[in-house]
Amino acid sequence: MDPNPQNEIDLFENFKRIDIFNLRTEQEMNFFELPDNEQLLTIISTVQNDGILSPGIALNDGDGKYTLIIGRTRYIALRALYDISKSDKYRTLPCFVLDRDKVDRLKLESMIVSSNLNYRTISRKTFIQAVLKMEEALRAGKQYRSQIN
């Protein structure tokens, strides 16, 4: 794995629809709260009416399974809709798939924070955690960019 943050990740390199039963959710890095019941019902309704509007991001675990890094709420909505309907329409989550060997933990944490800060109402504690994670990512980036930032 190349820890150099200058090596950008190509999200569009590998895109696929992943069976929801082959997805695991990332619990350790993703410290953001799950939506409350009202928010989840809204998301389920949106998925039911419009489908998945934004793909998830997953890591290929190499065993036919994938770890979902971004898209946990969409995954929960799909699982609920599938459990109720048993319709194959809700059986897969479109995802950009990343190779574990090409992305480091700090980059993944930065992606999780960036994707969650854009649309969620979050607690002050979670917001502070997010700011600290982003600061860590920025500091690491500066080491590899000769302090340009």
Side-chain angles (χ1 to χ4, degrees):
M1 174 178 20
D2 183 359
N4 187 342
Q6 284 183 310
N7 292 340
E8 295 296 320
I9 295 171
D10 183 2
L11 286 178
F12 300 97
E13 185 177 339
N14 189 5
F15 181 83
K16 61 176 35 176
R17 292 184 167 278
I18 301 174
D19 187 306
I20 58 175
F21 294 102
N22 290 331
L23 282 168
R24 306 171 186 152
T25 57
E26 200 329 290
Q27 302 297 323
E28 187 182 328
M29 286 186 282
N30 195 340
F31 52 83
F32 287 89
E33 296 93 358
L34 290 172
D36 63 29
N37 288 340
E38 185 178 335
Q39 292 167 328
L40 185 57
L41 287 173
T42 300
I43 294 165
I44 288 171
S45 177
T46 300
V47 170
Q48 191 172 28
N49 293 327
D50 302 322
I52 298 293
L53 301 176
S54 179
I57 298 177
L59 291 175
N60 187 343
D61 292 335
D63 59 357
K65 303 283 186 182
Y66 300 84
T67 299
L68 189 61
I69 300 300
I70 296 171
R72 187 173 55 168
T73 304
R74 286 163 272 180
Y75 165 77
I76 292 168
L78 281 175
R79 286 293 301 248
L81 286 164
Y82 182 81
D83 288 346
I84 292 166
S85 71
K86 300 298 185 219
S87 171
D88 285 342
K89 174 180 171 180
Y90 305 116
R91 182 77 189 244
T92 60
L93 177 64
C95 289
F96 297 110
V97 179
L98 303 177
D99 184 345
R100 277 192 182 277
D101 297 333
K102 294 183 180 178
V103 60
D104 66 14
R105 181 181 177 89
L106 196 55
K107 181 65 173 177
L108 293 173
E109 288 175 345
S110 175
M111 292 168 65
I112 290 168
V113 169
S114 294
S115 70
N116 281 281
L117 284 181
N118 290 332
Y119 76 95
R120 285 189 184 233
T121 303
I122 58 175
S123 69
R124 181 177 296 239
K125 177 185 173 197
T126 301
F127 181 76
I128 290 169
Q129 277 183 286
V131 168
L132 292 174
K133 288 288 182 190
M134 288 304 291
E135 192 247 350
E136 182 182 355
L138 289 172
R139 282 184 189 268
K142 284 183 181 181
Q143 289 175 0
Y144 295 104
R145 293 188 187 121
S146 301
Q147 303 297 325
I148 293 173
N149 294 335

Tab-separated table of all heavy atoms in Angstrom, residues 15-56:
chain	number	residue	atom	x	y	z
A	15	PHE	N	-16.763	-0.206	-10.804
A	15	PHE	CA	-18.124	0.072	-10.360
A	15	PHE	C	-18.944	-1.194	-10.535
A	15	PHE	O	-18.877	-1.845	-11.571
A	15	PHE	CB	-18.731	1.205	-11.198
A	15	PHE	CG	-20.124	1.575	-10.780
A	15	PHE	CD1	-20.329	2.437	-9.730
A	15	PHE	CD2	-21.222	1.047	-11.431
A	15	PHE	CE1	-21.609	2.790	-9.330
A	15	PHE	CE2	-22.508	1.383	-11.043
A	15	PHE	CZ	-22.702	2.258	-9.991
A	16	LYS	N	-19.707	-1.559	-9.516
A	16	LYS	CA	-20.553	-2.749	-9.646
A	16	LYS	C	-21.735	-2.679	-8.700
A	16	LYS	O	-21.739	-1.934	-7.737
A	16	LYS	CB	-19.763	-4.036	-9.418
A	16	LYS	CG	-19.134	-4.166	-8.058
A	16	LYS	CD	-18.423	-5.484	-7.772
A	16	LYS	CE	-17.746	-6.093	-8.925
A	16	LYS	NZ	-17.006	-7.298	-8.623
A	17	ARG	N	-22.709	-3.497	-8.992
A	17	ARG	CA	-23.860	-3.671	-8.101
A	17	ARG	C	-23.529	-4.855	-7.200
A	17	ARG	O	-23.278	-5.953	-7.686
A	17	ARG	CB	-25.122	-3.954	-8.904
A	17	ARG	CG	-25.568	-2.778	-9.712
A	17	ARG	CD	-26.891	-3.094	-10.416
A	17	ARG	NE	-27.466	-1.888	-10.940
A	17	ARG	CZ	-28.177	-1.017	-10.230
A	17	ARG	NH1	-28.411	-1.234	-8.958
A	17	ARG	NH2	-28.663	0.069	-10.772
A	18	ILE	N	-23.535	-4.604	-5.905
A	18	ILE	CA	-23.145	-5.639	-4.955
A	18	ILE	C	-24.384	-6.146	-4.225
A	18	ILE	O	-25.194	-5.361	-3.726
A	18	ILE	CB	-22.123	-5.095	-3.938
A	18	ILE	CG1	-20.879	-4.583	-4.668
A	18	ILE	CG2	-21.751	-6.178	-2.926
A	18	ILE	CD1	-19.878	-3.898	-3.762
A	19	ASP	N	-24.512	-7.462	-4.176
A	19	ASP	CA	-25.611	-8.095	-3.448
A	19	ASP	C	-25.539	-7.658	-1.981
A	19	ASP	O	-24.463	-7.709	-1.369
A	19	ASP	CB	-25.472	-9.612	-3.566
A	19	ASP	CG	-26.654	-10.367	-2.989
A	19	ASP	OD1	-27.002	-10.134	-1.810
A	19	ASP	OD2	-27.229	-11.193	-3.716
A	20	ILE	N	-26.661	-7.229	-1.435
A	20	ILE	CA	-26.653	-6.729	-0.055
A	20	ILE	C	-26.216	-7.782	0.955
A	20	ILE	O	-25.747	-7.456	2.038
A	20	ILE	CB	-28.026	-6.123	0.351
A	20	ILE	CG1	-29.150	-7.141	0.196
A	20	ILE	CG2	-28.293	-4.842	-0.431
A	20	ILE	CD1	-30.514	-6.668	0.692
A	21	PHE	N	-26.340	-9.052	0.579
A	21	PHE	CA	-25.924	-10.119	1.492
A	21	PHE	C	-24.424	-10.393	1.410
A	21	PHE	O	-23.898	-11.215	2.157
A	21	PHE	CB	-26.746	-11.380	1.247
A	21	PHE	CG	-28.195	-11.174	1.595
A	21	PHE	CD1	-29.138	-10.969	0.604
A	21	PHE	CD2	-28.608	-11.119	2.919
A	21	PHE	CE1	-30.472	-10.745	0.922
A	21	PHE	CE2	-29.932	-10.894	3.255
A	21	PHE	CZ	-30.863	-10.707	2.251
A	22	ASN	N	-23.732	-9.693	0.508
A	22	ASN	CA	-22.276	-9.787	0.416
A	22	ASN	C	-21.594	-8.537	0.958
A	22	ASN	O	-20.403	-8.352	0.781
A	22	ASN	CB	-21.837	-10.031	-1.027
A	22	ASN	CG	-22.204	-11.411	-1.499
A	22	ASN	OD1	-22.287	-12.348	-0.707
A	22	ASN	ND2	-22.455	-11.558	-2.776
A	23	LEU	N	-22.381	-7.677	1.605
A	23	LEU	CA	-21.845	-6.440	2.174
A	23	LEU	C	-21.750	-6.530	3.689
A	23	LEU	O	-22.639	-7.060	4.345
A	23	LEU	CB	-22.754	-5.259	1.813
A	23	LEU	CG	-22.631	-4.705	0.411
A	23	LEU	CD1	-23.776	-3.747	0.118
A	23	LEU	CD2	-21.297	-4.009	0.209
A	24	ARG	N	-20.658	-5.993	4.208
A	24	ARG	CA	-20.484	-5.805	5.647
A	24	ARG	C	-20.385	-4.300	5.854
A	24	ARG	O	-19.844	-3.599	5.008
A	24	ARG	CB	-19.176	-6.424	6.126
A	24	ARG	CG	-19.017	-7.862	5.761
A	24	ARG	CD	-17.607	-8.341	6.076
A	24	ARG	NE	-17.476	-9.698	5.555
A	24	ARG	CZ	-16.351	-10.250	5.159
A	24	ARG	NH1	-15.228	-9.583	5.227
A	24	ARG	NH2	-16.328	-11.465	4.712
A	25	THR	N	-20.849	-3.818	6.980
A	25	THR	CA	-20.704	-2.387	7.232
A	25	THR	C	-19.471	-2.137	8.081
A	25	THR	O	-19.105	-2.956	8.921
A	25	THR	CB	-21.949	-1.803	7.919
A	25	THR	OG1	-22.196	-2.508	9.126
A	25	THR	CG2	-23.167	-1.881	7.014
A	26	GLU	N	-18.823	-1.011	7.841
A	26	GLU	CA	-17.640	-0.605	8.577
A	26	GLU	C	-18.098	0.007	9.896
A	26	GLU	O	-18.818	0.985	9.908
A	26	GLU	CB	-16.886	0.431	7.750
A	26	GLU	CG	-15.426	0.674	8.038
A	26	GLU	CD	-14.931	0.500	9.440
A	26	GLU	OE1	-15.261	1.315	10.309
A	26	GLU	OE2	-14.199	-0.463	9.672
A	27	GLN	N	-17.698	-0.585	10.993
A	27	GLN	CA	-18.154	-0.123	12.304
A	27	GLN	C	-17.119	0.736	13.022
A	27	GLN	O	-17.471	1.642	13.749
A	27	GLN	CB	-18.505	-1.321	13.196
A	27	GLN	CG	-19.570	-2.214	12.614
A	27	GLN	CD	-20.901	-1.515	12.452
A	27	GLN	OE1	-21.296	-0.711	13.263
A	27	GLN	NE2	-21.596	-1.817	11.366
A	28	GLU	N	-15.858	0.460	12.817
A	28	GLU	CA	-14.809	1.121	13.596
A	28	GLU	C	-14.543	2.553	13.126
A	28	GLU	O	-14.486	3.466	13.937
A	28	GLU	CB	-13.519	0.304	13.503
A	28	GLU	CG	-12.421	0.811	14.393
A	28	GLU	CD	-11.160	0.000	14.241
A	28	GLU	OE1	-11.245	-1.208	13.982
A	28	GLU	OE2	-10.084	0.594	14.384
A	29	MET	N	-14.381	2.742	11.819
A	29	MET	CA	-14.044	4.070	11.303
A	29	MET	C	-15.263	4.987	11.199
A	29	MET	O	-15.136	6.190	11.305
A	29	MET	CB	-13.403	3.960	9.924
A	29	MET	CG	-11.992	3.467	9.933
A	29	MET	SD	-11.249	3.538	8.291
A	29	MET	CE	-11.968	2.100	7.526
A	30	ASN	N	-16.427	4.408	10.970
A	30	ASN	CA	-17.614	5.225	10.773
A	30	ASN	C	-18.321	5.430	12.114
A	30	ASN	O	-19.146	4.632	12.530
A	30	ASN	CB	-18.560	4.590	9.759
A	30	ASN	CG	-19.600	5.557	9.271
A	30	ASN	OD1	-19.869	6.568	9.916
A	30	ASN	ND2	-20.195	5.258	8.144
A	31	PHE	N	-17.980	6.530	12.768
A	31	PHE	CA	-18.501	6.812	14.102
A	31	PHE	C	-19.765	7.657	14.065
A	31	PHE	O	-20.299	8.035	15.100
A	31	PHE	CB	-17.432	7.507	14.953
A	31	PHE	CG	-16.832	8.715	14.284
A	31	PHE	CD1	-17.469	9.949	14.350
A	31	PHE	CD2	-15.639	8.604	13.596
A	31	PHE	CE1	-16.919	11.055	13.739
A	31	PHE	CE2	-15.083	9.707	12.974
A	31	PHE	CZ	-15.725	10.941	13.039
A	32	PHE	N	-20.265	7.962	12.880
A	32	PHE	CA	-21.469	8.787	12.770
A	32	PHE	C	-22.701	8.007	13.218
A	32	PHE	O	-22.813	6.810	12.975
A	32	PHE	CB	-21.646	9.274	11.331
A	32	PHE	CG	-20.668	10.345	10.961
A	32	PHE	CD1	-19.431	10.011	10.438
A	32	PHE	CD2	-20.972	11.679	11.165
A	32	PHE	CE1	-18.513	10.991	10.108
A	32	PHE	CE2	-20.059	12.668	10.843
A	32	PHE	CZ	-18.824	12.321	10.313
A	33	GLU	N	-23.612	8.736	13.873
A	33	GLU	CA	-24.832	8.108	14.343
A	33	GLU	C	-25.685	7.671	13.153
A	33	GLU	O	-25.675	8.306	12.109
A	33	GLU	CB	-25.663	9.096	15.199
A	33	GLU	CG	-25.002	9.542	16.471
A	33	GLU	CD	-24.202	10.846	16.310
A	33	GLU	OE1	-24.117	11.391	15.205
A	33	GLU	OE2	-23.639	11.289	17.323
A	34	LEU	N	-26.423	6.598	13.367
A	34	LEU	CA	-27.389	6.178	12.357
A	34	LEU	C	-28.582	7.128	12.404
A	34	LEU	O	-28.827	7.773	13.424
A	34	LEU	CB	-27.834	4.744	12.627
A	34	LEU	CG	-26.760	3.682	12.379
A	34	LEU	CD1	-27.232	2.331	12.871
A	34	LEU	CD2	-26.403	3.621	10.906
A	35	PRO	N	-29.338	7.211	11.323
A	35	PRO	CA	-30.506	8.098	11.341
A	35	PRO	C	-31.545	7.602	12.345
A	35	PRO	O	-31.621	6.404	12.630
A	35	PRO	CB	-31.040	8.013	9.913
A	35	PRO	CG	-30.499	6.743	9.376
A	35	PRO	CD	-29.204	6.492	10.072
A	36	ASP	N	-32.337	8.546	12.862
A	36	ASP	CA	-33.429	8.131	13.739
A	36	ASP	C	-34.534	7.518	12.874
A	36	ASP	O	-34.436	7.499	11.640
A	36	ASP	CB	-33.932	9.301	14.591
A	36	ASP	CG	-34.519	10.446	13.777
A	36	ASP	OD1	-35.047	10.226	12.666
A	36	ASP	OD2	-34.457	11.592	14.259
A	37	ASN	N	-35.569	7.000	13.491
A	37	ASN	CA	-36.624	6.293	12.749
A	37	ASN	C	-37.284	7.171	11.692
A	37	ASN	O	-37.563	6.711	10.587
A	37	ASN	CB	-37.676	5.736	13.714
A	37	ASN	CG	-37.146	4.557	14.493
A	37	ASN	OD1	-36.173	3.927	14.096
A	37	ASN	ND2	-37.759	4.260	15.622
A	38	GLU	N	-37.543	8.419	12.029
A	38	GLU	CA	-38.191	9.326	11.075
A	38	GLU	C	-37.297	9.568	9.855
A	38	GLU	O	-37.758	9.530	8.712
A	38	GLU	CB	-38.524	10.648	11.763
A	38	GLU	CG	-39.296	11.610	10.884
A	38	GLU	CD	-39.655	12.898	11.615
A	38	GLU	OE1	-39.747	12.887	12.859
A	38	GLU	OE2	-39.827	13.907	10.925
A	39	GLN	N	-36.004	9.809	10.108
A	39	GLN	CA	-35.063	10.013	9.003
A	39	GLN	C	-34.941	8.751	8.157
A	39	GLN	O	-34.905	8.815	6.927
A	39	GLN	CB	-33.691	10.413	9.558
A	39	GLN	CG	-33.661	11.761	10.207
A	39	GLN	CD	-32.384	11.988	11.010
A	39	GLN	OE1	-31.810	11.046	11.575
A	39	GLN	NE2	-31.943	13.234	11.074
A	40	LEU	N	-34.887	7.596	8.818
A	40	LEU	CA	-34.771	6.342	8.087
A	40	LEU	C	-36.008	6.090	7.216
A	40	LEU	O	-35.883	5.658	6.071
A	40	LEU	CB	-34.542	5.173	9.042
A	40	LEU	CG	-34.295	3.817	8.382
A	40	LEU	CD1	-33.097	3.869	7.432
A	40	LEU	CD2	-34.090	2.748	9.432
A	41	LEU	N	-37.179	6.373	7.733
A	41	LEU	CA	-38.401	6.206	6.938
A	41	LEU	C	-38.388	7.103	5.708
A	41	LEU	O	-38.835	6.700	4.625
A	41	LEU	CB	-39.641	6.465	7.785
A	41	LEU	CG	-39.973	5.373	8.799
A	41	LEU	CD1	-41.128	5.812	9.702
A	41	LEU	CD2	-40.303	4.057	8.104
A	42	THR	N	-37.856	8.309	5.857
A	42	THR	CA	-37.739	9.218	4.711
A	42	THR	C	-36.795	8.639	3.670
A	42	THR	O	-37.085	8.664	2.465
A	42	THR	CB	-37.244	10.609	5.180
A	42	THR	OG1	-38.181	11.132	6.114
A	42	THR	CG2	-37.076	11.555	4.014
A	43	ILE	N	-35.664	8.105	4.105
A	43	ILE	CA	-34.693	7.512	3.182
A	43	ILE	C	-35.281	6.276	2.507
A	43	ILE	O	-35.137	6.087	1.293
A	43	ILE	CB	-33.372	7.193	3.917
A	43	ILE	CG1	-32.714	8.500	4.352
A	43	ILE	CG2	-32.434	6.371	3.046
A	43	ILE	CD1	-31.629	8.346	5.376
A	44	ILE	N	-35.967	5.444	3.274
A	44	ILE	CA	-36.609	4.252	2.701
A	44	ILE	C	-37.620	4.672	1.638
A	44	ILE	O	-37.672	4.084	0.551
A	44	ILE	CB	-37.266	3.398	3.804
A	44	ILE	CG1	-36.185	2.709	4.639
A	44	ILE	CG2	-38.224	2.376	3.217
A	44	ILE	CD1	-36.693	2.004	5.888
A	45	SER	N	-38.397	5.691	1.930
A	45	SER	CA	-39.386	6.183	0.973
A	45	SER	C	-38.716	6.691	-0.310
A	45	SER	O	-39.180	6.418	-1.419
A	45	SER	CB	-40.214	7.296	1.617
A	45	SER	OG	-41.120	7.835	0.693
A	46	THR	N	-37.620	7.414	-0.153
A	46	THR	CA	-36.883	7.919	-1.316
A	46	THR	C	-36.344	6.771	-2.160
A	46	THR	O	-36.466	6.773	-3.383
A	46	THR	CB	-35.723	8.836	-0.862
A	46	THR	OG1	-36.261	9.935	-0.137
A	46	THR	CG2	-34.922	9.339	-2.043
A	47	VAL	N	-35.757	5.780	-1.515
A	47	VAL	CA	-35.227	4.624	-2.248
A	47	VAL	C	-36.362	3.886	-2.949
A	47	VAL	O	-36.233	3.475	-4.107
A	47	VAL	CB	-34.433	3.687	-1.308
A	47	VAL	CG1	-34.090	2.365	-2.000
A	47	VAL	CG2	-33.174	4.374	-0.803
A	48	GLN	N	-37.472	3.746	-2.277
A	48	GLN	CA	-38.619	3.049	-2.852
A	48	GLN	C	-39.161	3.803	-4.078
A	48	GLN	O	-39.491	3.192	-5.089
A	48	GLN	CB	-39.705	2.908	-1.792
A	48	GLN	CG	-40.822	1.980	-2.172
A	48	GLN	CD	-41.755	1.746	-0.986
A	48	GLN	OE1	-41.893	2.587	-0.105
A	48	GLN	NE2	-42.390	0.591	-0.978
A	49	ASN	N	-39.231	5.116	-3.993
A	49	ASN	CA	-39.789	5.918	-5.082
A	49	ASN	C	-38.808	6.214	-6.202
A	49	ASN	O	-39.176	6.212	-7.378
A	49	ASN	CB	-40.335	7.248	-4.546
A	49	ASN	CG	-41.538	7.050	-3.664
A	49	ASN	OD1	-42.329	6.142	-3.874
A	49	ASN	ND2	-41.667	7.901	-2.662
A	50	ASP	N	-37.551	6.501	-5.840
A	50	ASP	CA	-36.583	6.978	-6.825
A	50	ASP	C	-35.397	6.051	-7.045
A	50	ASP	O	-34.590	6.292	-7.936
A	50	ASP	CB	-36.047	8.351	-6.387
A	50	ASP	CG	-37.149	9.366	-6.229
A	50	ASP	OD1	-38.102	9.354	-7.032
A	50	ASP	OD2	-37.076	10.175	-5.279
A	51	GLY	N	-35.237	5.043	-6.213
A	51	GLY	CA	-34.074	4.171	-6.306
A	51	GLY	C	-32.881	4.784	-5.575
A	51	GLY	O	-32.997	5.793	-4.889
A	52	ILE	N	-31.732	4.169	-5.740
A	52	ILE	CA	-30.498	4.675	-5.138
A	52	ILE	C	-29.963	5.774	-6.043
A	52	ILE	O	-29.653	5.527	-7.208
A	52	ILE	CB	-29.453	3.542	-4.975
A	52	ILE	CG1	-29.957	2.452	-4.040
A	52	ILE	CG2	-28.118	4.105	-4.501
A	52	ILE	CD1	-30.124	2.872	-2.596
A	53	LEU	N	-29.893	6.979	-5.517
A	53	LEU	CA	-29.467	8.129	-6.316
A	53	LEU	C	-27.961	8.368	-6.248
A	53	LEU	O	-27.408	9.040	-7.105
A	53	LEU	CB	-30.213	9.385	-5.846
A	53	LEU	CG	-31.735	9.306	-5.943
A	53	LEU	CD1	-32.370	10.561	-5.366
A	53	LEU	CD2	-32.175	9.082	-7.376
A	54	SER	N	-27.324	7.824	-5.234
A	54	SER	CA	-25.895	8.017	-5.057
A	54	SER	C	-25.265	6.685	-4.664
A	54	SER	O	-25.669	6.080	-3.669
A	54	SER	CB	-25.673	9.060	-3.957
A	54	SER	OG	-24.313	9.257	-3.735
A	55	PRO	N	-24.280	6.209	-5.431
A	55	PRO	CA	-23.662	4.913	-5.113
A	55	PRO	C	-22.915	4.936	-3.786
A	55	PRO	O	-22.494	5.992	-3.310
A	55	PRO	CB	-22.670	4.698	-6.256
A	55	PRO	CG	-23.037	5.677	-7.300
A	55	PRO	CD	-23.717	6.817	-6.619
A	56	GLY	N	-22.737	3.751	-3.218
A	56	GLY	CA	-21.911	3.603	-2.038
A	56	GLY	C	-20.457	3.460	-2.452
A	56	GLY	O	-20.123	3.428	-3.638
